[in-house]
Amino acid sequence: NKAVDIKSDEKATTAPTPQNTPIFTAPLAAAAAAARIATVAEEDSDALAAHNPALMSMLQGRLGSLIGAPSGYIESLPKAVRDRVDGLRYLQQQHIDIDKQMHMEIYELEKKYSKLYAPLYERRSTIIAGKAEPTDEEKAEGAKIAEAEKEGESALSGIAEEKDDEDEEEQKVVDGIPDFWMTALRNHPQLGELITDRDEEAIKFLRDIRLEYLEDNLGFKLIFEFAENQFFSNTELVKTYFYEQSDVAGILEFKSAQGTEINWKPENDLSVTVETKKQRHKTTNRTRVVKKTVPSKTFFSFFTTVEEPDEDDDSDLAEETRDRIELDYELAEEFKEKIIPNAVDWFTGKALEYEGLEDYEDEFMDDYYDDEDEDSDDDDDEDDDEDGLSRSAKEAAEPPQCKNQ
C-alpha cells in the first residue's frame, strides 16, 4: 500500500503530506526543477520510443529490475569492515526505535491539544448557527484584529479605507452567519473546484466540520454535520482516516480511509444525473424517450470509500485510483490542518493571503473525480435521434438509481 508520511521532514516519494509535498506547490520552482531534469532525458527517450518501442520497453523493464539491487560492494569488503557496518546497522535501528517513540508522543500531543481546542470550536459553532451571540469582549477584541488587518492592507496599498457604519435599524435581521462553511470551502482553491453548482444548495445545510482522533486506533475522523435537508437523510457525513507506524522510519503514515454511505433521497441524488434521449425506430419511424442514470461530478464524492488496488496491478485504472487516493489524503490534511483550525480566515479570504494563494490556479482536481464512460448504448433495432436532452436527477420524471457512496 502507498503510505503518506504525516510527520517526517524528509521528502517522501510515495504520497503527499504538508511537510514533503504540500497541496499548493510553487509553480515556478516546480517548473524549473522539472525542466532541468527532463529536457535531455525526454528528448532521448522520445526518439528511442519513436524508432523502437519494443526496445524501449525492454530497457525500462531491465532498468526497473536494477533499482534496489545489491551492487556486491558491501559483500566484497573485509570481514572486519562488514562487522563495523553491522554495528552501524544496529545503531540505526536504535535511532528508528527512538523515532517511533517520538512520533507516537507527537501524536498523543496532538490528541491532547485537540481536546483543548474543542471548546473554542464549539463556541464558534454556536455563533455560526445563531444559537448564541458573541460577548462584548469577543466583539471588541475581534474588531481590533479586523482594524489592524485593514490598516495593514491600507499601508500596503496606500489607500485609506473609510469605515462604513450602517444604521443598525436598516440592517436586515439574520441568524448566525449564513453560508459560513459554503463560503469558507469555496474560498479554498481545490475544494472550491470540487463544489459544483448543484452541490451548493446542499452544502448550505452544512452546520459544522469537526475533527476527532480515534480512541481505539491510530487516526482521526472528519465529521460534517448537516441540518435536515431535501438531499439526504444523514445528519452526519464522516470520513475516517487510519494511520500505521512505519517500521523503517517510525513515522505515522496513512493506511486507509473509510467514508459514510450517503442515503440520498429520491430525485435528489447529486452523485448522478439522468440523461434523456429521443430514439427513432428504424422501420416504424416512431420515437421514444430513453432515460439513463450516469455518474456526476460532486463534492460528495469525498465521502466515497476507495479501495487501493493490488500492489502488482500496474494498469491505468489502478494508477488513476492511486492518484485519487493520494489526493484524498491531501484533502484530509487540508481539512485537518487548515480549514477546521482557521475557518474564519477562509470565510473572510484572509487565508488566501498567508497561504500565498490569491492568484492560485490549478486544474489537477479533475483527477479527483472518476472518469466514467457516459456513452449510451443504443438498442439494436433503433437509431439515436439527433435531438438529445440532458436533465438533472431532480428534474427527471422517473427516480434515478441511487449510487452507493
Side-chain angles (χ1 to χ4, degrees):
N1 292 344
K2 285 190 175 181
V4 181
D5 175 3
I6 65 168
K7 293 298 175 189
S8 175
D9 291 331
E10 298 177 359
K11 292 187 176 181
T13 59
T14 57
T17 71
Q19 288 79 16
N20 57 27
T21 53
I23 194 168
F24 309 114
T25 55
L28 293 179
R36 287 195 300 269
I37 297 172
T39 300
V40 176
E42 287 182 355
E43 291 177 356
D44 293 344
S45 63
D46 289 346
L48 179 59
H51 290 88
N52 197 333
L55 177 59
M56 183 66 178
S57 177
M58 181 188 69
L59 290 175
Q60 288 177 337
R62 291 186 177 181
L63 288 173
S65 66
L66 293 176
I67 297 176
S71 64
Y73 169 71
I74 301 300
E75 290 74 9
S76 68
L77 295 173
K79 184 178 183 307
V81 177
R82 295 200 305 272
D83 289 344
R84 294 175 191 129
V85 173
D86 288 340
L88 296 185
R89 288 192 176 108
Y90 175 66
L91 295 178
Q92 179 65 34
Q93 183 58 51
Q94 288 182 308
H95 190 285
I96 292 174
D97 292 340
I98 296 174
D99 273 343
K100 287 184 177 180
Q101 180 181 350
M102 178 189 70
H103 287 291
M104 286 304 302
E105 289 181 3
I106 291 175
Y107 175 75
E108 292 299 328
L109 198 61
E110 285 186 356
K111 291 177 64 176
K112 171 186 174 181
Y113 277 88
S114 178
K115 294 178 180 178
L116 297 179
Y117 296 141
L120 300 178
Y121 296 154
E122 179 62 27
R123 176 66 176 162
R124 179 180 70 187
S125 178
T126 58
I127 293 174
I128 292 172
K131 297 178 181 178
E133 293 294 333
T135 64
D136 291 341
E137 179 184 5
E138 289 170 340
K139 290 187 287 186
E141 293 301 320
K144 290 179 182 178
I145 296 172
E147 189 63 30
E149 291 175 357
K150 287 183 178 180
E151 290 176 358
E153 293 172 0
S154 299
L156 290 174
S157 64
I159 301 175
E161 294 186 7
E162 294 184 2
K163 188 174 182 180
D164 184 15
D165 288 326
E166 187 178 355
D167 192 327
E168 291 186 5
E169 295 181 359
E170 297 180 0
Q171 293 183 16
K172 183 179 179 180
V173 178
V174 296
D175 293 329
I177 305 177
D179 300 336
F180 177 87
W181 288 105
M182 162 64 76
T183 305
L185 298 182
R186 271 293 194 189
N187 282 338
H188 187 284
Q190 272 61 48
L191 292 173
E193 290 184 21
L194 274 179
I195 299 172
T196 68
D197 292 340
R198 295 176 65 204
D199 292 331
E200 286 191 358
E201 191 61 33
I203 297 178
K204 287 181 180 179
F205 291 94
L206 180 59
R207 294 293 176 260
D208 197 17
I209 305 177
R210 304 192 307 275
L211 167 72
E212 291 184 7
Y213 283 87
L214 305 182
E215 295 298 331
D216 53 350
N217 279 298
L218 293 175
F220 64 91
K221 56 184 177 180
L222 300 170
I223 304 170
F224 295 71
E225 180 183 338
F226 285 85
E228 184 177 353
N229 61 82
Q230 69 268 31
F231 296 95
F232 43 80
S233 59
N234 311 68
T235 57
E236 289 185 349
L237 299 180
V238 182
K239 192 69 176 285
T240 304
Y241 293 88
F242 299 95
Y243 292 149
E244 63 182 355
Q245 192 165 31
S246 168
D247 291 330
V248 177
I251 56 180
L252 293 181
E253 304 170 329
F254 277 110
K255 178 183 179 182
S256 62
Q258 185 174 5
T260 297
E261 179 179 340
I262 301 179
N263 300 318
W264 296 103
K265 294 182 179 180
E267 301 186 20
N268 285 303
D269 187 345
L270 298 176
S271 68
V272 298
T273 57
V274 174
E275 292 184 350
T276 62
K277 185 172 292 187
K278 290 183 179 180
Q279 292 182 341
R280 180 177 289 113
H281 197 278
K282 289 181 178 180
T283 56
T284 65
N285 208 33
R286 297 178 60 182
T287 62
R288 70 170 183 172
V289 176
V290 178
K291 296 180 174 65
K292 181 181 179 182
T293 301
V294 296
S296 177
K297 292 183 177 181
T298 174
F299 165 81
F300 293 94
S301 296
F302 175 75
F303 298 98
T304 303
T305 299
V306 182
E307 299 294 337
E308 188 160 343
D310 294 335
E311 292 183 1
D312 56 353
D313 188 349
D314 58 356
S315 66
D316 291 340
L317 178 59
E319 288 304 314
E320 291 174 3
T321 302
R322 293 186 184 100
D323 289 342
R324 182 180 178 183
I325 291 173
E326 290 183 5
L327 288 174
D328 180 61
Y329 291 159
E330 288 186 1
L331 290 178
E333 287 291 342
E334 291 296 300
F335 276 113
K336 176 175 176 284
E337 302 293 340
K338 297 179 180 179
I339 297 293
I340 294 176
N342 307 311
V344 68
D345 287 345
W346 289 103
F347 175 78
T348 63
K350 178 184 175 183
L352 295 173
E353 299 176 13
Y354 60 69
E355 292 285 350
L357 306 173
E358 293 171 290
D359 300 320
Y360 185 84
E361 293 183 3
D362 196 356
E363 297 179 356
F364 78 74
M365 288 308 296
D366 290 342
D367 296 334
Y368 188 80
Y369 296 108
D370 286 328
D371 292 330
E372 301 286 350
D373 183 6
E374 299 182 359
D375 294 334
S376 60
D377 296 326
D378 299 332
D379 293 340
D380 292 338
D381 60 341
E382 293 175 334
D383 294 327
D384 288 343
D385 185 67
E386 294 180 355
D387 181 17
L389 303 175
S390 178
R391 297 188 298 173
S392 68
K394 183 176 181 181
E395 298 170 340
E398 298 179 3
Q401 300 176 358
C402 291
K403 178 181 177 183
N404 292 333
Q405 297 290 317

